[in-house]
Amino acid sequence: MSKFVYFFGKDVTDGKSSMKDLLGGKGANLAEMANLGVPVPPGFTITTEVCVLYLKENKYPEEVLRQEKEAIDKLEALNGKRLGDPEDPLLVSVRSGARVSMPGMMDTVLNLGLTDKSVIGLAKKVNDERFAYDCYRRFIAMFGDVVLGVEFRKFDSLIEDKKKELGVKSDTDLDSKALKELVERFKGVIKLEKGFEFPQDPKVQLQMAINAVFDSWNNQRAITYRKLNGIDDSWGTAVNVQTMVYGNRGNTSGTGVAFTRNPSTGEKKFFGEYLINAQGEDVVAGIRTPDFINTLGDKIPEAYAQLVDICQRLESHFTDMQDIEFTIQEGKLYMLQTRTGKRTAAAAVKIATDMVAEGLIDKETAVNRVKAEHIDLLLHPRIDPEAKLEVIAKGLPASPGAAVGKVVFTAEAAEEMAEIGEKTILVRTETSPEDIGGMAAAQGVLTVRGGMTSHAAVVGRGMGKPCVVGCGEISIDMKNAHFMVNGFTIKEHDFITIDGSIGSVIIGKVDLIDAEINYDLRKLLIWADEIRTLGVRTNADNPADAALARELGAEGIGLCRTEHMFFGEDRIPAVREMIMAEDEKTRKKALKRLLPMQKEDFIGIFRSMEGLPVTIRLLDPPLHEFLPDKEELDEKLRELETSGDCGKIDEVKKVIQRVVSLKELNPMLGHRGCRLGITYPEIYNMQVRAIMEAACELTAEGMEIVPEIMIPLVGLVKELSLSKEEVCKTAETVMAEKGMKIDYKVGTMIELPRATIVADQIAKEADFFSFGTNDLTQTTFGFSRDDVSKFVPIYQKAGILEHDPFAVLDQEGVGELMKIGIGKGRSVKPELKIGICGEHGGEPKSITFAHQIGIDYVSCSPYRVPIARLVAAQSTMEIRDAKNKRT
Ligand code: PEP
Ligand code: MG
């Protein structure tokens, strides 16, 4: 028979931490803590399977209800209290808990079990009437909101009215008489809104709360969060029913959240916040600003010492940084949750490398713990230290990195601005789970209230959004759409900059610069290099980028686009002269002028990559790209005609004529790539001469130069054989002139579907293949690379496409063609070296796929090289482990 309900508590625990899929993260870890002898209030978990069944059928199998009843009986027996007992009632919390944490996205009900009768019993038992009624009014409001769908605001405004009536400021100033009256008014609201009385049977309350938590799996904010975080909709949540403990029972009680290491920096230091005399949700909700955890020892020393000890034990047990929640009730500590803590990118790297040094984890685990997104973030911009800053306020540095954007005050505004490509900073009093979409759309978040573990801080760190919280100097005036701070008024859509690493708010737009790789990251990437079997090269077409990429770990150049060299200001006249040439002789003359410049480029690049392979692709784009725009020329002609400068008029007219004659209807499918090389062989000849002369000169200096010449856009084997013949002829001529022998290779891009299909023929002529997945995607889909923005986002919204195929490789279509190409190519040359140099070479999912289908190396832009190194190591382990599993 299926087990649907799992109990946890000292000596009576059914679950364990490895059962997260079934018990959810919270339930599985509560069980694990109980197994470890950590003080956990007892309770039970109803499994995610039940959630899936319930959401499908809208009812429970009989067996679930039977097991639930059995668990309630057990819980009552263990506590020596009964639900709804008028003398001494058992009170419970009801919380969600999916297999991966979704902070604040689903619902929670606290103090369940209070009724008109049991509240009297509770008051007597704890000898504190105010406390009992405070719990009761909180419960009714929470139940009303979460379970019955009555707006929380309706209860809140009654509290405000009561405070006004009594002339008091804070909730804590309300005495038991006031709270009793509030309870009655709250119940009245429910009767009015729902047409029935607030339920007075705790078992009915419990079942309704359980249903509501299961239902909250499908609320809008949970759906949005899952979408943003790639969480499967079919998983469902578990429900945890747990004995209530109270942090609001006076000055030896409190509640808090803590991390075993600093989640922002990764520093090995106990980190967290707490509130004395407060209930759980108060800390995360950011209602009161909490104290730093290290002062708790002065207030409740024994519980603090025990907390520190338990946290260390939990970290060693789970071998990762833990994020815990605790409550101290009258000096006695209870752990309410432990989970792997979310961390910033910098902290992820530091914690992983530190834990290797501490012997807690091995290098492979460390490499697997850091995510590609982390590396991406570390290479994100920060404020230029040279920039002049006008800091207008300071808050808490909740999530590092700098962000610049226009001020908006609502999540919707941030989303709307993002739709039109505008960058924003979302400024809020505090964020709530409803703001999640806006936070994702904004560049950064700034809040007036809340601490380092407030909603904004936790979510900001998780998303990697720069975030400054608790900036109390700011006052937001929503009516007039501005905020004021220290004498400044910042209007909606004014630019501000925030620095989430130090908590500063800066007026205006500040220059940001890219981050560099620190010592820990360097170490981690070296471990990644030791593990990985997939090569990582870079796409670079100038010596500076090549040097940068080498510094970032590139093992050569996988794509040097030579056309980029033609665009230089000093080259464009010679390039245009070459294009304007009416005969071969004039063209050759212009090419002669270009030769030394190209050679100089190659010398620089070869030097930067000494000893490593450099793949140079011969000219690819259609020639008209190097000529001025037709409209620009027409304008110039008009100007000349008005000024009467006849000398130049003819010249411009000639250029216009050439532009018109070169114009193509589909330039991406036109006279480009090897088609250009075949029709104007002298262009490729000049380039090959420049490559080989550069290589000979540097070899003569004693350098090891490894040139690989690559022919673009080949679809027919004869295109390659002809081009290759020309390349080799020129290369041999240069080497003969120089009296040298260079080991060079001639290969081809595979970027047309036809090329993948006839890859066996092509492989006979090629020393290597490199997949140009940009063009291969374009030609496989028939999507113009330059026009996709008009429809691909709509396709994504409509669910026609999951990803933009130009960003994430389409494995089903383009990927299948690649597999055909690899298979056919290697059928004639088993050792054929194959790379990928389209944009996908730096995209994590695509890198893993490329590795799985047998690619030898990926090539990507310099700043993506570290990401590729990490992902390559992770995919090496994944492939190895899958293979070991099979054998
Ligand atoms: C490609 O098509 O994938 C490629 C790398 O070449 P380019 O982007 O220069 O066309
Ligand atoms: Mg291409």
Side-chain angles (χ1 to χ4, degrees):
M1 192 190 301
S2 283
K3 191 166 170 58
F4 295 116
V5 179
Y6 286 70
F7 206 85
F8 57 83
K10 195 165 177 285
D11 305 328
V12 284
T13 300
D14 303 324
K16 54 183 181 223
S17 70
S18 57
M19 297 168 81
K20 288 198 175 64
D21 292 358
L22 193 63
L23 302 182
K26 183 179 289 195
N29 280 358
L30 279 167
E32 189 77 0
M33 283 199 286
N35 286 331
L36 290 170
V38 167
V40 167
F44 57 88
T45 305
I46 310 173
T47 66
T48 52
E49 263 174 28
V50 176
C51 179
V52 174
L53 286 172
Y54 168 74
L55 291 178
K56 202 154 84 191
E57 305 282 331
N58 205 24
K59 64 179 184 0
Y60 300 96
E62 278 303 309
E63 182 55 22
V64 170
L65 299 172
R66 196 195 62 74
Q67 291 185 21
E68 208 180 288
K69 183 172 177 314
E70 200 176 88
I72 297 168
D73 291 346
K74 198 165 169 180
L75 193 62
E76 289 183 332
L78 202 71
N79 279 296
K81 294 178 185 202
R82 280 187 307 105
L83 272 175
D85 187 335
E87 304 293 324
D88 181 12
L90 169 67
L91 302 185
V92 293
S93 63
V94 182
R95 293 174 206 260
S96 60
R99 67 167 89 165
V100 294
S101 122
M102 295 166 56
M105 292 303 129
M106 288 178 290
D107 290 330
T108 292
V109 180
L110 302 176
N111 301 319
L112 189 139
L114 282 172
T115 61
D116 291 353
K117 283 192 188 131
S118 69
V119 70
I120 301 170
L122 176 69
K124 273 203 202 121
K125 187 76 196 169
V126 298
N127 197 19
D128 187 345
E129 190 177 54
R130 189 196 175 280
F131 169 76
Y133 280 92
D134 192 40
C135 290
Y136 196 23
R137 64 99 186 169
R138 285 173 191 261
F139 170 49
I140 299 170
M142 223 170 191
F143 192 89
D145 172 30
V146 166
V147 181
L148 303 176
V150 178
E151 278 177 280
F152 196 78
R153 169 177 74 74
K154 299 217 156 112
F155 302 106
D156 222 24
S157 70
L158 287 176
I159 300 178
E160 290 308 311
D161 292 349
K162 193 81 203 158
K163 285 196 285 194
K164 258 193 222 139
E165 188 186 314
L166 299 177
V168 296
K169 270 202 171 141
S170 153
D171 292 9
T172 48
D173 297 330
L174 295 170
D175 61 12
S176 63
K177 183 165 167 280
L179 293 168
K180 264 186 194 170
E181 281 166 14
L182 275 178
V183 161
E184 288 311 311
R185 288 187 195 174
F186 281 13
K187 286 194 298 184
V189 169
I190 287 175
K191 178 82 204 284
L192 192 73
E193 293 278 322
K194 304 305 294 183
F196 56 79
E197 299 288 345
F198 178 73
Q200 290 293 325
D201 178 347
K203 294 205 170 135
V204 171
Q205 293 173 351
L206 181 58
Q207 196 56 55
M208 287 174 85
I210 292 170
N211 299 351
V213 172
F214 281 145
D215 284 329
S216 70
W217 176 255
N218 281 335
N219 70 33
Q220 196 48 52
R221 62 178 194 251
I223 293 171
T224 308
Y225 187 91
R226 288 202 292 274
K227 206 165 179 192
L228 285 170
N229 291 278
I231 299 171
D232 200 317
D233 284 332
S234 70
W235 287 349
T237 178
V239 169
N240 299 291
V241 177
Q242 191 174 20
T243 309
M244 280 295 299
V245 285
Y246 292 94
N248 53 344
R249 292 285 298 276
N251 287 338
T252 55
S253 299
T255 186
V257 291
F259 294 85
T260 54
R261 302 187 187 216
N262 185 317
S264 260
T265 63
E267 199 186 358
K268 194 182 176 189
K269 224 174 179 182
F270 194 39
F271 179 91
E273 293 166 334
Y274 71 100
L275 283 170
I276 288 289
N277 199 11
Q279 219 173 12
E281 304 304 293
D282 299 349
V283 182
V284 246
I287 293 166
R288 273 161 63 189
T289 298
D291 293 318
F292 286 111
I293 198 87
N294 53 4
T295 61
L296 180 61
D298 304 334
K299 294 178 186 155
I300 319 175
E302 273 173 31
Y304 179 69
Q306 194 191 359
L307 176 68
V308 172
D309 174 58
I310 288 175
C311 284
Q312 274 164 6
R313 275 171 55 205
L314 289 175
E315 186 181 275
S316 306
H317 179 73
F318 289 104
T319 66
D320 203 352
M321 186 261 269
Q322 296 296 294
D323 163 1
I324 59 107
E325 280 179 25
F326 66 93
T327 282
I328 302 167
Q329 179 175 321
E330 293 168 298
K332 184 163 171 24
L333 173 73
Y334 293 95
M335 302 300 285
L336 300 184
Q337 172 157 310
T338 188
R339 62 184 172 197
T340 300
K342 287 206 190 310
R343 61 206 74 185
T344 63
V349 173
K350 176 151 177 61
I351 291 171
T353 50
D354 282 357
M355 284 191 169
V356 172
E358 291 160 27
L360 222 54
I361 56 173
D362 59 18
K363 291 178 185 175
E364 287 200 352
T365 309
V367 167
N368 264 327
R369 287 245 173 111
V370 176
K371 311 261 170 293
E373 304 89 80
H374 287 144
I375 309 269
D376 197 21
L377 285 171
L378 281 178
L379 301 169
H380 262 184
R382 63 196 160 95
I383 286 179
D384 181 351
E386 303 291 318
K388 279 213 172 61
L389 307 180
E390 182 146 15
V391 177
I392 52 171
K394 277 267 184 182
L396 296 173
S399 180
V404 183
K406 289 181 175 174
V407 167
V408 288
F409 295 105
T410 64
E412 297 78 64
E415 289 188 65
E416 276 163 27
M417 295 279 276
E419 298 245 292
I420 53 166
E422 289 275 5
K423 295 185 168 162
T424 58
I425 303 289
L426 178 61
V427 182
R428 305 279 289 149
T429 303
E430 65 210 349
T431 61
S432 71
E434 269 80 24
D435 292 326
I436 184 99
M439 293 177 76
Q443 299 300 112
V445 179
L446 169 63
T447 71
V448 181
R449 287 208 291 233
M452 294 289 278
T453 48
S454 63
H455 178 266
V458 172
V459 176
R461 275 200 295 273
M463 284 182 176
K465 290 272 151 183
C467 183
V468 175
V469 300
C471 191
E473 299 155 311
I474 287 178
S475 71
I476 300 178
D477 180 348
M478 291 292 273
K479 220 156 93 205
N480 293 305
H482 66 226
F483 73 80
M484 283 184 298
V485 63
N486 299 322
F488 292 91
T489 300
I490 311 291
K491 294 196 295 294
E492 187 175 21
H493 293 183
D494 281 353
F495 269 106
I496 60 167
T497 301
I498 60 168
D499 188 342
S501 309
I502 54 168
S504 53
V505 182
I506 301 140
I507 201 162
K509 245 172 151 172
V510 173
D511 286 345
L512 305 181
I513 55 167
D514 287 327
E516 67 222 304
I517 296 194
N518 70 16
Y519 177 75
D520 288 326
L521 181 52
R522 232 172 252 282
K523 199 156 61 180
L524 188 92
L525 290 171
I526 290 171
W527 297 341
D529 292 343
E530 286 163 11
I531 297 166
R532 71 184 161 88
T533 53
L534 179 72
V536 177
R537 297 196 193 178
T538 192
N539 293 356
D541 45 52
N542 62 64
D545 280 0
L548 171 70
R550 188 168 192 165
E551 173 68 23
L552 293 172
E555 297 159 315
I557 290 183
L559 174 64
C560 170
R561 291 179 166 102
T562 52
E563 59 270 17
H564 288 181
M565 301 170 170
F566 281 30
F567 282 112
E569 240 176 79
D570 51 337
R571 288 126 197 246
I572 206 83
V575 173
R576 287 188 182 155
E577 197 182 311
M578 167 196 68
I579 298 168
M580 296 300 298
E582 273 158 13
D583 53 45
E584 195 184 318
K585 200 168 143 225
T586 342
R587 188 156 40 247
K588 277 192 172 155
K589 208 174 106 215
L591 284 166
K592 223 174 178 172
R593 276 178 60 204
L594 276 172
L595 177 69
M597 302 182 205
Q598 279 262 277
K599 187 168 140 189
E600 211 44 48
D601 294 326
F602 295 134
I603 285 181
I605 289 172
F606 282 143
R607 269 192 208 284
S608 296
M609 283 287 167
E610 189 200 345
L612 298 175
V614 175
T615 307
I616 298 169
R617 183 185 70 188
L618 302 183
L619 198 67
D620 181 12
L623 294 180
H624 73 85
E625 284 201 9
F626 301 100
L627 293 180
D629 192 57
K630 166 102 174 16
E631 277 171 32
E632 233 175 80
L633 289 165
D634 288 341
E635 176 67 30
K636 200 164 174 192
L637 185 63
R638 270 193 299 276
E639 273 170 27
L640 289 172
E641 280 168 346
T642 4
S643 67
D645 186 349
C646 299
K648 283 207 174 137
I649 287 181
D650 280 351
E651 206 180 293
V652 174
K653 275 189 177 160
K654 238 166 121 187
V655 181
I656 292 177
Q657 239 174 25
R658 191 76 175 119
V659 169
V660 171
S661 78
L662 287 173
K663 185 175 157 32
E664 292 175 320
L665 288 180
N666 286 311
M668 276 295 182
L669 303 176
H671 194 184
R672 57 172 285 217
C674 63
R675 303 159 200 170
L676 199 65
I678 289 167
T679 44
Y680 299 115
E682 53 281 5
I683 300 178
Y684 277 13
N685 286 344
M686 178 280 285
Q687 292 195 293
V688 174
R689 174 166 277 280
I691 294 167
M692 295 311 286
E693 283 187 7
C696 285
E697 273 177 33
L698 294 177
T699 308
E701 282 180 26
M703 283 189 185
E704 190 199 343
I705 304 300
V706 192
E708 298 182 342
I709 297 168
M710 183 154 75
I711 314 294
L713 225 70
V714 164
L716 300 154
V717 66
K718 281 206 174 141
E719 288 175 323
L720 180 61
S721 52
L722 248 167
S723 307
K724 185 180 169 188
E725 209 180 296
E726 284 287 324
V727 167
C728 294
K729 226 192 301 168
T730 308
E732 295 304 323
T733 311
V734 175
M735 287 191 292
E737 282 167 18
K738 305 277 176 193
M740 297 188 71
K741 198 91 201 119
I742 306 276
D743 189 13
Y744 70 98
K745 293 189 168 56
V746 184
T748 181
M749 302 273 297
I750 300 288
E751 49 186 345
L752 295 173
R754 190 179 197 283
T756 66
I757 309 285
V758 297
D760 46 350
Q761 298 171 25
I762 294 177
K764 286 190 191 138
E765 295 290 335
D767 294 331
F768 62 89
F769 280 179
S770 181
F771 280 100
T773 47
N774 303 332
D775 274 310
L776 191 56
T777 300
Q778 169 167 260
T779 46
T780 301
F781 277 87
F783 287 177
S784 154
R785 279 165 75 165
D786 298 327
D787 301 300
V788 280
S789 64
K790 293 193 184 100
F791 57 91
V792 162
I794 296 163
Y795 271 31
Q796 284 177 270
K797 259 196 188 151
I800 299 171
L801 277 173
E802 192 184 350
H803 304 286
D804 174 349
F806 290 97
V808 180
L809 191 93
D810 161 50
Q811 299 183 10
E812 284 176 1
V814 178
E816 277 304 305
L817 286 173
M818 290 171 73
K819 283 191 208 164
I820 293 172
I822 295 169
K824 289 206 161 187
R826 292 212 174 118
S827 71
V828 291
K829 274 192 186 157
E831 301 300 318
L832 185 69
K833 195 161 192 90
I834 304 178
I836 166 173
C837 64
E839 281 310 299
H840 307 90
E843 193 284 319
K845 285 193 193 70
S846 316
I847 296 172
T848 305
F849 176 76
H851 198 180
Q852 281 162 346
I853 62 172
I855 293 278
D856 295 305
Y857 66 88
V858 295
S859 188
C860 53
S861 60
Y863 275 109
R864 292 176 108 182
V865 165
I867 298 175
R869 290 163 70 192
L870 179 86
V871 177
Q874 291 171 343
S875 66
T876 302
M877 289 185 269
E878 201 181 309
I879 292 167
R880 179 201 62 197
D881 294 347
K883 206 164 152 193
N884 287 345
K885 225 176 179 176
R886 280 199 301 275
T887 52

